[in-house]
Amino acid sequence: MSSPNPTLVAGYNLLNILGFVVLSSIVFTAYFSPGIHRSRNWYMAMFIWIWWCIPYSMLIGRQLDTEDKPPPKALCTFQASLVYASPPSVISANFALLAQIFSLLTETLYQRKGLEKKVSSVLLCLPIVVYVTIFFISLTVGIDNPSLVGRSSTATYCNIKHTVPSSVSSVACISFAIMLLLLEAVTFSLLYRHRNWVKQMKTSASPAPISLIVRIAFFSIGPIIAAILGGSSIGTQTLFDNPSIVLVTAASPLLAAAIFGTQNDILNVWMFWRRSGAAPYSHKLESKEALQTA
């Protein structure tokens, strides 16, 4: 393996730490602010994004070690297994969140009471199931093949030089990315068919639907990137083992923070010096009376 690039390693670590801090601040703000309301699926998606930063940072302090003194094999195997499980779980969490929003819109528009609650409870477990499944598949391969476990060529994290973990992770990424993009198309179609309601919401006190449309559009950025990167890793022995891709991977949580943390209610809490005497904005998709009259 070539000598590690200290600049690459430092930039990679900095992006992971920044992502963790910013995302944690968003969740902290949402949870403790009385005027902000979020669903359990939103918190699950945010938790998965925060957790993303932890496995990728487990080698901090050991990334620039010499080859004759590599990181402990157990740490490397554990971290690599977590890394393979992270991208699919993130995309599945985004899919679960969008599916919950879609079910709430469907319930409200078509008077299907209880639909969102049932769907939400099932979807809440999806990212965890995906994560645990891929983690144990990768861990089993790593334990059975300890000689294939080691730092990546970029020295930023460990990987398992076996086709199974990278292929399983990549196929899962592509599958959930396709599902997410299809659901986005269906959601856009639903909103277009009820564009009179969208126009009504645009002039009402709650801008949630307009904000929702913009954020749904941004949802597609991550899955497209993941699908492209994942497709290039199928059948290979590594996952995202390229300096440019490594930096994109480390910057992904900041992209999530830009999507989830720029909603009006969160920004109003942070920009306290600009507050007016008005009641705090509450981001809820609960304007069912407006939906019914659309």
Side-chain angles (χ1 to χ4, degrees), residues 27 31 43 75 96 99-100 140 161 168 186 227 254 264 279 291:
V27 171
Y31 188 80
Y43 281 107
L75 172 62
Q100 186 239 339
T140 301
K161 295 182 179 180
V168 170
V186 174
L254 290 175
N264 288 340
L291 279 168

Side-chain angles (χ1 to χ4, degrees), residues 7-27:
T7 303
L8 172 66
V9 172
Y12 167 86
N13 291 337
L14 178 61
L15 288 171
N16 273 314
I17 293 171
L18 283 176
F20 179 85
V21 171
V22 174
L23 287 169
S24 298
S25 300
I26 293 171
V27 171

Side-chain angles (χ1 to χ4, degrees), residues 142-247:
I143 292 175
D144 290 342
N145 303 274
S147 62
L148 301 181
V149 179
R151 282 179 300 181
S152 65
S153 62
T154 60
T156 48
Y157 52 82
C158 290
N159 59 25
I160 303 171
K161 295 182 179 180
H162 194 285
T163 58
V164 171
S166 60
S167 295
V168 170
S169 182
S170 299
V171 169
C173 282
I174 294 172
S175 299
F176 280 111
I178 292 173
M179 291 167 60
L180 179 53
L181 292 173
L182 289 175
L183 184 58
E184 285 180 356
V186 174
T187 303
F188 272 117
S189 176
L190 179 66
L191 291 172
Y192 178 77
R193 292 199 305 271
H194 295 85
R195 52 192 177 277
N196 290 335
W197 167 69
V198 174
K199 292 178 182 178
Q200 182 178 347
M201 289 299 98
K202 187 175 181 179
T203 58
S204 71
S206 173
I210 305 304
S211 173
L212 173 63
I213 295 174
V214 175
R215 292 174 202 286
I216 289 174
F218 277 109
F219 257 82
S220 62
I221 297 177
I224 290 174
I225 294 175
I228 294 173
L229 299 182
S232 66
S233 299
I234 294 178
T236 64
Q237 296 181 345
T238 56
L239 180 69
F240 306 166
D241 193 8
N242 174 280
S244 299
I245 296 177
V246 161
L247 291 178

Side-chain angles (χ1 to χ4, degrees), residues 12 55-56 78-88 131 157-158 169 239:
Y12 167 86
Y56 285 98
F78 182 69
Q79 191 223 22
S81 301
L82 293 175
V83 164
Y84 287 114
S86 291
Y131 199 102
Y157 52 82
C158 290
S169 182
L239 180 69

